[in-house]
Amino acid sequence: MGAIKDKGRQLHEIERVPYEDAFLISDLLTTRMTVLSGEPKAGKTLLAAGMGIALINGEKEFLGQPVLREVDHIVFGLTDDGAPEELKERLHGAVPDDSVTVFPVEDPGHSGYWPSIVDDLINMKPGLFVLDNIIGALAPGEDISSPVTAQRIMRSLKPISEAGIPTLLVTHTPKGTAEGMTVASSPIGGRAIAAGARAVVALRNSGKHGRRIHTAINRATEDLDLHVSVRPAGESSEVPIWERVATKPRREPSIRSAAPWQELLAQQILREQPEETSIAGLAHRYAATVGKAVSTLRAELPKLVVHSGEGWAVA
């Protein structure tokens, strides 16, 4: 008996999964496990509803990304008080009533709870399972910020995607932004959550700068950075209409008095859009690149670039 002897497979024994079969929505929603993270009120449930509408209706694209598979049934596991009624309003009239099943997720903490849900989902064979949200699905006394808890819930959910049911997990990011936070580390629970999923989608809403979607997804043709908006379908409808927002191209710095190394560095920062959000962070990151002292960069960078909350721009 051994892990390799019992479960090891050679390449010819592993089934190929073409790109078109790896995604429901190209570079955005996978056919395995996708984590959608965002701050409270960022629009996570609205985004899940919007993707669900596109999939059920067989739309050609969602936010400019091709829809690769039509589904006829989506199951939502909901945790928040009043969530079923809110979801009803967001889907009402947009999809057939019998195309969506909703059930409450209330983990009592016993070992048979998630296996029973897995069995039900396998019998139902939905085209997508949405858990909204991970934090509300925890057993009493569990804390998602604990790696042990994060790993436990991801292990509990893994059999759903392993059964061939695409799974979308909605969760929260910490309030506000933190320097060094990446898409992969954005969910509360950090990499313990992200490591259990094939894809992480971060939805950010910075007020006056609007909403943005960032992705980090295995096998994607590119990581997305989309400026998006959402509005209700009408005065008496809460069905979400998602749209991409056209953005102006970033203006390269033109600083007549700047030394060549300063202008080149500014252009590199605007092009790369590093995850650091402070001048000090930039100085430490690029000091070795330009061969200057950290203190020199801390003095010069504020003249060149500024962080707007959405990224680095010309000062």
Side-chain angles (χ1 to χ4, degrees):
M1 297 290 289
I4 297 176
K5 182 179 179 181
D6 294 342
K7 297 184 178 181
R9 292 180 293 167
Q10 294 183 338
L11 284 178
H12 70 273
E13 299 174 297
I14 301 173
E15 182 180 356
R16 289 188 65 250
V17 179
Y19 172 88
E20 293 76 10
D21 293 333
F23 288 87
L24 295 178
I25 302 175
S26 179
D27 289 356
L28 184 61
L29 181 60
T30 76
T31 54
R32 301 289 297 204
M33 190 177 291
T34 303
V35 172
L36 168 59
S37 66
E39 294 182 5
K41 310 304 180 184
K44 301 182 295 297
T45 301
L46 290 173
L47 182 57
M51 289 191 287
I53 292 169
L55 292 167
I56 290 174
N57 291 336
E59 297 178 9
K60 291 184 178 180
E61 62 178 37
F62 178 75
L63 290 177
Q65 303 301 117
V67 176
L68 302 178
R69 183 187 301 183
E70 182 177 352
V71 306
D72 57 9
H73 188 204
I74 298 177
V75 174
F76 283 83
L78 304 178
T79 65
D80 291 349
D81 182 40
E85 292 77 14
E86 290 181 4
L87 184 63
K88 168 74 173 181
E89 293 305 315
R90 288 161 179 173
L91 298 179
H92 181 62
V95 297
D97 286 343
D98 60 359
S99 65
V100 174
T101 297
V102 176
F103 77 98
V105 177
E106 300 172 325
D107 188 348
H110 65 69
S111 60
Y113 181 74
W114 283 107
S116 69
I117 291 178
V118 173
D119 289 343
D120 287 344
L121 288 170
I122 290 175
N123 289 328
M124 298 173 72
K125 294 182 175 62
L128 176 67
F129 169 60
V130 180
L131 175 61
D132 188 3
N133 57 69
I134 291 178
I135 295 177
L138 300 179
E142 289 189 316
D143 181 357
I144 192 61
S145 62
S146 163
V148 174
T149 296
Q151 291 167 4
R152 197 280 302 175
I153 188 66
M154 295 304 286
R155 283 197 302 267
S156 297
L157 295 165
K158 186 177 180 180
I160 300 172
S161 65
E162 288 182 335
I165 300 170
T167 302
L168 175 62
L169 309 177
V170 180
T171 191
H172 292 74
T173 59
K175 185 68 174 177
T177 58
E179 184 172 334
M181 179 179 289
T182 65
V183 175
S185 63
S186 61
I188 297 178
R191 297 193 184 278
I193 294 291
R198 183 174 296 272
V200 179
V201 178
L203 175 62
R204 298 188 169 107
N205 185 10
S206 60
K208 66 179 181 180
H209 295 291
R211 289 180 167 87
R212 289 177 74 173
I213 292 175
H214 301 267
T215 65
I217 301 180
N218 292 353
R219 296 196 65 186
T221 58
E222 63 175 331
D223 289 337
L224 301 178
D225 180 0
L226 306 179
H227 291 254
V228 298
S229 67
V230 61
R231 58 179 173 81
E235 292 184 3
S236 59
S237 173
E238 296 181 28
V239 173
I241 304 297
W242 285 88
E243 298 170 318
R244 288 180 70 161
V245 177
T247 58
K248 296 180 180 179
R250 290 188 180 274
R251 182 166 56 92
E252 294 290 345
S254 178
I255 306 171
R256 296 182 183 277
S257 61
W261 73 265
Q262 293 172 315
E263 187 158 357
L264 289 173
L265 176 57
Q267 292 173 357
Q268 182 176 356
I269 292 169
L270 296 182
R271 183 172 61 251
E272 295 179 352
Q273 289 297 311
E275 61 192 26
E276 286 81 5
T277 59
S278 69
I279 293 295
L282 285 186
H284 283 279
R285 179 177 182 128
Y286 288 102
T289 301
V290 296
K292 302 291 182 179
V294 171
S295 58
T296 299
L297 264 64
R298 292 186 69 167
E300 296 297 327
L301 281 172
K303 307 172 186 176
L304 306 172
V305 294
V306 63
H307 199 277
S308 65
E310 288 295 311
W312 290 99
V314 178

